[in-house]
Amino acid sequence: MKKPGGADKKRVRRSSAAVQNGGRDPSTDTPPRKQAAKKDVFQLFAEKVRDHKELVSRWAVLQETRVEYFRGKDFVSFLKNHPEVKEILESENNLEVEEIADILLSKNLLVRCDRVVKTIRPGKKKLSTWPAHLEIFPDQVFSDNDAFFAWAFVKRRPLWQTLLSFFWPVLTLAICLFPVYPHRCKLLILYSCAGVLLLILSLLLLRATIFGTLYIVLGKRVWFFPNILAEEATLSELFRFWPQKDEEERPKWTTRLLYAGVAVSVILLLRHHAPDEAARLRYQRRMSNIIDDVLEWSPRLALSGFMDKPQDVANVTDSGSNYADGGGEAQPENTPPVEDSGEGDEVVVESDEEGVGSYEEDTSRHGEQDDNHI
């Protein structure tokens, strides 16, 4: 009889719980874990805008940290030209550009910045379009009038960057193991690195020559491959060939003449102190010997040289014992033989590296013997 009563109590509890659940908002039925896992639409919007190639951005230093930033007017024109990007905001895609930017600022996805250098440098007509150093603006409100905005969230790393971070230690280990590579691999790596280095130096020298010639003759600043030495340039901007428009004032003829004189003086000085042909050949032989030693080294040669050391020690011990037994002076192993010429003159036979003997007469002893005969 007790079991039916217990079942009725359970039914009553379940029914009361069902009534309480029925009064809840259906939008709150999602478990809290799923709600936390659901990402903010403005976060997704910011990531999509940042990854879009049409939004022009640069890199700068903000409080000793490199950040990616863009201009306010570029953000406005970007959203006007690409309204499909706002579809990710779902119900809030009808907001204005200023409202969207203010929400991003309130969510700490953006930070408004200002240029550190606010004065025009000598020789320029206006401030830099993309400053290299920024500082945080006190009023965090969107504006398209000479305002800069930096992304304040960490960008998701693509797959190739993850793979590259994995292969960096492998590449370091491969560089350390270069001495044990086969001879052909060493030659291939050596010529490839030398070719790349020669290409880079030739390119830098060529662009510097063109810049100096056009600056002195025409008074124009033309840098081909203008971003090749820029730290904040992207990969596509790094290899851009055509130079940017010269926005600075044309230099005076006295300045150009001064630089021309300095260039001629440096060229004449280098030509005067240039090494001669003999010095160049000596340096070339020295460098070729060093390179040959690196290329021809192998673990087998190192091990064979290590194994030959005990044999050399044994030879030295044997020569010492022979000296003790014979009672005379022990001649070294490489001492050339001495022959008698029949006239009282001693001739020393020396052997060179190729095994060919060369005879030299001992004139000092010959002179002493002549004095004794007299």
Side-chain angles (χ1 to χ4, degrees):
M1 297 297 293
K2 292 182 181 180
K3 292 182 179 178
D8 293 339
K9 290 181 180 180
K10 291 181 181 180
R11 290 176 182 175
V12 172
R13 291 176 182 175
R14 290 176 181 175
S15 62
S16 61
V19 171
Q20 293 177 1
N21 293 335
R24 291 181 180 179
D25 189 3
S27 61
T28 61
D29 291 341
T30 306
R33 292 183 179 179
K34 291 185 178 180
Q35 288 181 354
K38 186 177 179 181
K39 213 166 188 179
D40 187 10
V41 291
F42 286 95
Q43 175 76 26
L44 298 175
F45 172 79
E47 292 178 355
K48 188 173 183 179
V49 171
R50 185 175 183 179
D51 294 335
H52 207 286
K53 296 181 180 180
E54 295 297 328
L55 179 62
V56 183
S57 62
R58 293 290 189 276
W59 288 86
V61 177
L62 175 63
Q63 295 181 351
E64 299 181 357
T65 304
R66 295 185 74 251
V67 294
E68 185 180 5
Y69 73 100
F70 58 88
R71 298 181 299 181
K73 58 181 181 180
D74 294 335
F75 185 74
V76 174
S77 61
F78 169 76
L79 291 182
K80 287 182 179 180
N81 297 329
H82 301 277
E84 70 277 1
V85 181
K86 295 167 53 176
E87 295 178 359
I88 198 172
L89 296 176
E90 297 176 354
S91 60
E92 298 181 357
N93 57 359
N94 295 325
L95 296 176
E96 298 294 333
V97 178
E98 291 78 5
E99 296 176 351
I100 295 175
D102 290 335
I103 294 175
L104 294 178
L105 290 170
S106 63
K107 291 181 176 293
N108 294 327
L109 297 174
L110 285 179
V111 176
R112 183 175 176 179
C113 307
D114 194 10
R115 61 178 78 245
V116 176
V117 180
K118 301 179 178 61
T119 57
I120 301 177
R121 294 181 179 179
K124 292 188 177 181
K125 298 180 180 179
K126 59 180 181 179
L127 294 173
S128 176
T129 306
W130 298 97
H133 297 273
L134 299 174
E135 60 183 3
I136 298 178
F137 194 73
D139 190 8
Q140 294 294 316
V141 180
F142 181 79
S143 175
D144 57 352
N145 184 16
D146 196 25
F148 305 97
F149 298 89
W151 298 109
F153 62 92
V154 180
K155 187 178 180 181
R156 291 185 301 174
R157 298 177 61 182
L159 180 60
W160 68 270
Q161 289 186 357
T162 305
L163 296 177
L164 185 62
S165 62
F166 172 76
F167 283 113
W168 270 121
V170 179
L171 179 62
T172 305
L173 182 61
I175 294 174
C176 295
L177 295 177
F178 174 79
V180 300
Y181 286 172
H183 187 70
R184 294 183 178 178
C185 294
K186 290 181 181 179
L187 289 177
L188 179 62
I189 295 173
L190 177 64
Y191 290 142
S192 301
C193 295
V196 173
L197 182 61
L198 181 62
L199 177 62
I200 295 174
L201 294 178
S202 302
L203 181 60
L204 295 178
L205 181 61
L206 178 62
R207 67 192 293 267
T209 305
I210 295 175
F211 174 82
T213 304
L214 295 179
Y215 182 84
I216 294 173
V217 177
L218 302 178
K220 294 184 178 180
R221 303 172 181 87
V222 179
W223 283 110
F224 290 97
F225 293 100
N227 299 324
I228 197 169
L229 298 177
E231 297 181 357
E232 67 277 2
T234 60
L235 188 62
S236 59
E237 296 175 350
L238 188 64
F239 296 100
R240 189 179 66 181
F241 177 75
W242 292 108
Q244 298 177 351
K245 186 179 179 181
D246 188 10
E247 299 178 354
E248 300 180 4
E249 295 181 357
R250 187 174 181 178
K252 300 179 181 179
W253 67 271
T254 54
T255 306
R256 293 156 54 188
L257 187 61
L258 176 62
Y259 281 118
V262 171
V264 172
S265 301
V266 170
I267 293 174
L268 293 178
L269 184 63
L270 293 177
R271 183 178 177 83
H272 178 71
H273 292 281
D276 54 359
E277 187 66 19
R280 188 191 65 81
L281 288 176
R282 288 196 301 269
Y283 181 75
Q284 181 180 359
R285 290 174 183 174
R286 188 185 307 169
M287 292 303 298
S288 62
N289 292 335
I290 295 174
I291 295 174
D292 291 339
D293 292 340
V294 174
L295 293 178
E296 295 176 359
W297 185 91
S298 65
R300 294 181 180 179
L301 294 176
L303 293 176
S304 63
F306 181 76
M307 295 299 293
D308 290 341
K309 288 183 180 180
Q311 298 179 3
D312 297 338
V313 175
N315 294 334
V316 173
T317 306
D318 294 340
S319 62
S321 61
N322 294 334
Y323 172 77
D325 296 338
E329 294 183 356
Q331 294 183 356
E333 183 180 356
N334 297 327
T335 303
V338 180
E339 295 183 1
D340 190 2
S341 62
E343 298 179 357
D345 300 335
E346 292 183 356
V347 179
V348 180
V349 181
E350 294 184 356
S351 57
D352 56 1
E353 295 180 355
E354 300 179 356
V356 181
S358 60
Y359 295 92
E360 294 182 359
E361 185 177 1
D362 191 355
T363 56
S364 61
R365 294 189 179 182
H366 181 70
E368 292 177 359
Q369 291 178 2
D370 291 341
D371 294 337
N372 294 330
H373 286 297
I374 295 172

